[in-house]
Amino acid sequence: MVLSSPDLLLQVKGVHKRFGANVVLAGADLDVPRGSVVTVMGRSGTGKSVFLKCLAQVILADEGQIFFDGRALADNDAKSRLEFRRRCSFLFQSNALFDSLTALENVALPLEQTTDLRDAEIRERSLEAMRQLELESHQDRYPSQLSGGMQKRLALARAIVTRPELVLFDEPTAGLDPLRRNAVFTMIAKYQRQFGFTAVIVTHDVQEALAASDRVALLDKGRMNFQGSPTEFRASEDLVVTSFRDNITALNASLAAIRQGEIIPSEDS
Amino acid sequence: MRGRACKDMVRALGSHTLAIVHGLGDFTLFTLRSFQSALGSRRLFRRVLRAGFEQGVRCLPVILIVGIFTGLVLGLQGYYVLNRFGSESLLGALVSLSLVRELGPVLAALMLVGQAGSALSAELGIQRNTEQVAALETMGVSSLGYLVTPRLLAALVVFPMQTALFVTIGLLGGSLSGSLLLGLESGVYWSSVERAVQMQDVTECFLKALTFGLLTISLCAYHGFNAHRCRNATGARAVSASTTRAVVQSSIVVLAADYVITSFLV
């Protein structure tokens, strides 16, 4: 099946996913224009990561269609799915780096396994990707010898070394402090412009996402309740969006108060 | 009441039988797919060499140590038994046939399961838990082709080589026992070895080594690769449980397969 939307690199229509009786996605839609940064936001446990894994075909959706570059993935055979995977990269929340390989070997792995390039060329391209992410001096180190931020950059270097058209980011700032969160989003925006890939980010860091994205979407109860620009998101009067925004504002106020020593956080907060 | 208990028992038996049949089918498909993945795998030879190094070189000390002691004990026990019948000159035949036909392939396989098999199962389990397997799939790389196929192909070379080494070292151990410690002529020992071992014995030895290598490494890989499907545990416990299951089942399979092959070839 071919879709007639040349401006969209990725289009998701009515994706459903359930695990046993637990319905995680109940008809989620998403439009991703070429060359844009699209962020999917939502509270914890709303199925953002499952949604992204459905896009990456790590998890297969029960229903719905995903169109990549105008073609429906679900209708394609294994060969076409393989081709999609080679044009797309996925950044895992945990980075999923190979701990028994050095940083350089990690970056070189997708080129070694998916291309017929010569060893010297693979090494050169891998080093180039590492240089662009300021990791060249750490090429012989193992992932466990790198800091959290460096591991994130290494995962990004591995993701971009194949020059993908689409990069999917699963909670790229999970577990990072506010300064590093900001740095990661800045890094994504910078490299997205530098390399020209299309990015889909899943996160619950609203402020950073709004600053770094061209479009945002809000996932709630298995559906996308909002899709639009950050400006439209801020101005939206949709009940779900306003409730989400109010929660974020309240959370930020609480955090500010905690930092100033006005509130002592309880065990369950 | 009794009828219900009977029904429950039959149901449980049926469900266990189905689970075993399903497991066997799943394992067979896993092994076949692993071999099939070799077809589209890039730079396979390099990874087979690396896997061969891990399975072979790292297992070398344990093979040498167990091999020499097995030979020493066989020589010692054999000498005292044969001495009762005045047949010490047959010590070489006893040690060599025991090693070549049975102990060599079985003990070498058990050592390799303990060293390389358990390491493989744990490594794959951790790779599954830390999403490294999923990462390969998202790159468009066959996780079976990258992680399992090289290990299986390497096992087909390493197991026969390690078995041959085990047997050779064992024969030397037997010779040490017989000649140096118990005073048997070295020439008598080695000529007895030469007369006793036929080509068919050597073929049987290598056939067993190949079969054990294929079965044990694929079993260990299967359990590690599917650590996330462990029913009673998750995370590190699932890795631990799947590694234990891999080693126990591989050890049983070695002994069972040994019986089956021997009964067909004898």
Side-chain angles (χ1 to χ4, degrees):
Chain A
M1 187 175 171
V2 179
L3 193 79
S4 55
S5 304
D7 294 342
L8 298 179
L9 180 65
L10 189 74
Q11 188 170 32
V12 183
K13 283 187 168 182
V15 163
H16 287 71
K17 185 70 197 175
R18 64 179 68 83
F19 296 100
N22 182 22
V23 179
V24 181
L25 299 173
D29 303 316
L30 185 70
D31 290 345
V32 182
R34 279 174 206 278
S36 63
V37 177
V38 176
T39 301
V40 178
M41 302 181 295
R43 294 185 179 90
S44 279
T46 48
K48 300 188 296 293
S49 289
V50 171
F51 178 71
L52 202 69
K53 283 176 180 168
C54 283
L55 298 191
Q57 308 281 292
V58 175
I59 297 174
L60 293 181
D62 297 331
E63 284 174 52
Q65 282 186 306
I66 299 167
F67 297 90
F68 178 72
D69 205 8
R71 290 195 170 275
L73 291 179
D75 294 346
N76 290 343
D77 55 3
K79 202 176 170 186
S80 303
R81 188 172 290 135
L82 190 69
E83 194 200 321
F84 161 72
R85 283 179 169 172
R86 290 187 177 170
R87 292 169 69 185
C88 158
S89 283
F90 191 98
L91 238 89
F92 285 81
Q93 190 174 342
S94 61
N95 299 324
L97 294 165
F98 285 85
D99 42 19
S100 54
L101 300 181
T102 64
L104 180 63
E105 287 169 338
N106 262 288
V107 178
L109 191 139
L111 290 178
E112 279 178 1
Q113 294 303 314
T114 61
T115 69
D116 292 321
L117 295 174
R118 284 177 298 116
D119 285 356
E121 210 172 333
I122 288 174
R123 186 180 162 80
E124 198 167 310
R125 266 179 69 173
S126 308
L127 282 173
E128 179 59 27
M130 292 185 80
R131 204 171 295 129
Q132 281 162 337
L133 287 146
E134 295 150 42
L135 285 165
E136 61 190 310
S137 56
H138 304 290
Q139 55 177 288
D140 295 323
R141 292 202 183 174
Y142 288 92
S144 59
Q145 297 170 314
L146 300 174
S147 69
M150 282 180 186
Q151 286 183 16
K152 197 63 80 185
R153 274 188 281 149
L154 182 60
L156 183 56
R158 186 176 72 179
I160 60 167
V161 77
T162 51
R163 296 169 188 164
E165 292 164 60
L166 175 69
V167 183
L168 307 172
F169 296 85
D170 186 10
E171 301 274 11
T173 54
L176 299 180
D177 60 65
L179 270 178
R180 284 186 192 277
R181 282 209 299 263
N182 203 2
V184 167
F185 272 100
T186 310
M187 178 184 85
I188 292 171
K190 179 184 159 190
Y191 291 117
Q192 187 271 332
R193 277 176 196 100
Q194 190 175 334
F195 298 108
F197 55 77
T198 302
V200 178
I201 307 169
V202 149
T203 186
H204 50 247
D205 292 327
V206 180
Q207 301 307 333
E208 289 86 350
L210 290 174
S213 310
D214 299 309
R215 283 173 68 82
V216 292
L218 181 65
L219 185 66
D220 187 69
K221 292 178 184 160
R223 287 169 173 273
M224 291 296 173
N225 280 80
F226 174 87
Q227 280 194 67
S229 69
T231 316
E232 287 168 340
F233 180 81
R234 286 191 191 96
S236 174
E237 289 181 5
D238 180 275
L239 273 178
V240 179
V241 177
T242 49
S243 151
F244 185 72
R245 273 201 321 252
D246 291 347
N247 280 341
I248 298 301
T249 312
L251 177 70
N252 284 340
S254 302
L255 287 173
I258 289 168
R259 279 190 211 109
Q260 287 163 12
E262 289 170 16
I263 299 173
I264 297 166
S266 62
E267 284 281 314
D268 55 345
S269 64
Chain B
M1 201 65 183
R2 193 179 289 169
R4 193 177 166 180
C6 223
K7 217 185 259 178
D8 285 350
M9 209 171 74
V10 171
R11 191 175 291 141
L13 190 70
S15 112
H16 274 95
T17 310
L18 279 177
I20 291 169
V21 172
H22 177 266
L24 277 174
D26 199 37
F27 168 68
T28 309
L29 279 176
F30 173 86
T31 309
L32 291 176
R33 281 192 191 125
S34 300
F35 278 114
Q36 190 193 21
S37 301
L39 296 175
S41 199
R42 286 183 168 88
R43 294 173 169 84
L44 183 62
F45 184 65
R46 202 178 293 176
R47 281 179 291 119
V48 172
L49 278 183
R50 198 170 177 164
F53 174 79
E54 282 165 14
Q55 289 172 14
V57 178
R58 289 188 186 158
C59 294
L60 209 56
V62 73
I63 290 288
L64 292 178
I65 293 167
V66 177
I68 194 90
F69 280 109
T70 307
L72 283 167
V73 170
L74 267 180
L76 210 59
Q77 288 282 15
Y79 185 87
Y80 284 119
V81 171
L82 292 170
N83 190 30
R84 286 186 201 168
F85 307 100
S87 313
E88 302 92 330
S89 59
L90 290 175
L91 182 67
L94 187 143
V95 173
S96 59
L97 288 179
S98 308
L99 280 171
V100 173
R101 296 179 65 133
E102 287 300 330
L103 292 177
V106 170
L107 288 180
L110 291 176
M111 293 305 111
L112 283 161
V113 165
Q115 181 101 0
S118 59
L120 169 63
S121 188
E123 188 181 339
L124 288 176
I126 291 168
Q127 286 181 320
R128 171 67 77 182
N129 268 356
T130 52
E131 296 186 304
Q132 292 175 41
V133 175
L136 282 171
E137 295 293 340
T138 60
M139 286 175 204
V141 178
S142 159
S143 51
L144 279 180
Y146 184 77
L147 298 169
V148 179
T149 310
R151 265 75 174 243
L152 278 182
L153 294 177
L156 295 180
V157 179
V158 168
F159 270 65
M161 279 171 71
Q162 296 282 39
T163 303
L165 188 68
F166 185 95
V167 170
T168 311
I169 293 295
L171 285 173
L172 278 174
S175 166
L176 275 177
S177 265
S179 313
L180 287 181
L181 306 175
L182 300 165
L184 186 74
E185 279 285 323
S186 176
V188 172
Y189 176 84
W190 288 108
S191 65
S192 167
V193 169
E194 198 187 336
R195 277 199 310 275
V197 180
Q198 305 292 311
M199 198 56 209
Q200 193 195 339
D201 303 316
V202 179
T203 311
E204 186 181 335
C205 174
F206 283 121
L207 180 69
K208 282 182 178 178
L210 268 176
T211 312
F212 298 161
L214 175 68
L215 287 174
T216 57
I217 292 298
S218 49
L219 247 179
C220 289
Y222 174 75
H223 283 296
F225 199 80
N226 294 309
H228 63 302
R229 280 159 57 182
C230 192
R231 265 188 237 156
N232 309 319
T234 54
R237 280 186 175 229
V239 175
S240 150
S242 57
T243 306
T244 307
R245 204 175 306 128
V247 172
V248 171
Q249 287 186 6
S250 297
S251 305
I252 293 170
V253 158
V254 164
L255 297 172
D258 182 46
Y259 174 76
V260 172
I261 295 171
T262 307
S263 62
F264 274 106
L265 292 180
V266 165

